[in-house]
Amino acid sequence: MKIVFAVMRKELVDLMRDRRTVMLSLLLGPILLPALMLGMGSLAESRVKTQLEATLKLPVVGAEHAPNLIAFLKMQDMEILPAPDDPEAEVRKQNHDVIVRIPPEFGDEWRNSEPAEVELIFDSTRRDTDIPLQRVQGALQGYAALTGKLRMLSRGISPNMDAAVRVASRDLATPEAKRSQILAAMMPYFLIFSTIMGVAYLVVDTTAGERERQSLEPLLATPASREAIMSGKILATCAFGMFSLLLLLASFKATFMFGGSGAFKGIDVSWWVIGKLLFVLAPLTMLVTVLLTLTSATAKSVKEAQSYMSVLMLLPMIPTVVLMVNPVKDKLWMFAVPFLAQNQAIVRLLRNEPPTMLEWGVYLGAGLGIAGILWLVAARMYHREKLAISG
């Protein structure tokens, strides 16, 4: 173990000599990522508030056919605009989010107590249309329900006759889960990506970089076993990576405490939660470090090792994108799959629904087990004689 810690200390000292790289590695994430997340959250919150609270400007074609409906819409904080010459073109040009068209037969259908048709013109592929569309649909549904009940009362029928079943709702989502929906969607990828970035430079430099600088061969020529040398390099990288993650999480804590609002307001950023997040990311740090050590030992140059590293950085995107497109229920096997396991564990912690002891056991066993297998393969690669030869 003395040899392992001696190599670890040597690698950390070598890294600290490159102060510019250390500063970028340690400070770029803690400054950039919290600012990015808060900026995105603030923009989303501002957009929602603006569209919900501002007066909705609603062009209506055929407003003269339904004066009572128009009056009701005005009561819902909507400004009725004159009908455009080409409603479809106005929507395509994004001049208006929603346009209402009332056909001439609306009045006859209304007087005959028939369902009177109202057409909504919109483009569902535009995300900024969602809130205005929901406001218009909600207002029309409210008007339809109100007038339907008045019709039944005028005929001496109880308005409750059309409601054979009364549905009561009980939302089991915790307040933390509701407030952290935006955070839960972004945080796992940011943390996993930061874990990879925190160790990538050092782990590539300690093997492929030292080989190109021809400083690896003298180290391998010492009486120390190659397994001990490799383990010292891995421990140095893991220590630096965990310290980088601690700075990042502390930055998130400070940001949410002093600048958090809206979607981030009330998020638990206690040191206890930060400790659990570090606990989640520790096996991933080890796994990524050993994997990059293996690829660096296999690569012929630093450029080749960096190309492998760029592919590795794409892997955290896979579970994030898949779960956004096709959400699935939590299963035990998910905690055995690298990157997906971290994604699920982080989301559960942010929702204040920590994994069970069995899930923790599967997570740690699978993560450390895979890292152990990769360590054995990397140790075999370190015994190759051409490892120290550059090119």
Side-chain angles (χ1 to χ4, degrees), residues 159-229:
N160 295 325
M161 289 293 293
D162 64 340
V165 177
R166 185 174 61 185
V167 179
S169 300
R170 182 168 59 175
D171 191 355
L172 298 180
T174 62
E176 293 86 353
K178 290 183 177 180
R179 287 193 294 264
S180 64
Q181 285 180 341
I182 298 177
L183 184 64
M186 298 184 293
M187 183 70 93
Y189 175 74
F190 281 150
L191 288 180
I192 296 172
F193 180 78
S194 299
T195 301
I196 298 175
M197 289 298 297
V199 303
Y201 168 78
L202 182 56
V203 73
V204 171
D205 184 70
T206 55
T207 300
E210 287 196 4
R211 181 172 52 198
E212 285 196 355
R213 294 192 299 269
Q214 298 182 353
S215 60
L216 182 60
E217 185 175 3
L219 183 61
L220 296 177
T222 62
S225 67
R226 298 198 174 190
E227 288 84 357
I229 293 174

Side-chain angles (χ1 to χ4, degrees), residues 139-150:
L140 293 176
Q141 290 169 0
Y143 183 73
L146 176 63
T147 53
K149 292 181 182 297
L150 291 175

